[in-house]
Amino acid sequence: MARVKTLEERLWGAAVLKMSFRLRGAEGSPAFKGVYPGVLRDLELEDEAVEAFIGANKDRVEKAARGTTSE
């Protein structure tokens, strides 16, 4: 049986996904609009919680969305 993800892990995944689209200026794209709502539903999250998580962890989330780990 799969391990249940913590709230922070779920927020992290949604935040990195959203930021990857944001950094490309593609939040209005059909791809984002098709994927993101389903991710929120599946992870049982609200967009407001994801935005708050991004605000509190912006640098880390941006680095992960860019695929970088170094400063």
Side-chain angles (χ1 to χ4, degrees):
M1 180 179 252
R3 181 179 72 80
V4 176
K5 291 185 179 182
T6 66
L7 176 59
E8 182 162 345
E9 289 170 328
R10 292 182 288 138
L11 286 167
W12 173 258
V16 171
L17 173 70
K18 187 170 191 176
M19 185 60 71
S20 69
F21 278 91
R22 183 172 289 168
L23 290 171
R24 293 190 311 257
E27 281 184 88
S29 72
F32 179 76
K33 291 179 179 181
V35 171
Y36 186 65
V39 168
L40 291 178
R41 181 195 64 238
D42 292 349
L43 296 178
E44 299 177 342
L45 296 172
E46 297 291 330
D47 183 58
E48 295 78 16
V50 175
E51 282 297 330
F53 186 86
I54 290 171
N57 300 280
K58 191 169 193 256
D59 290 339
R60 271 188 341 133
V61 172
E62 279 191 19
K63 283 180 187 175
R66 292 180 194 279
T68 59
T69 56
S70 61
E71 296 290 322

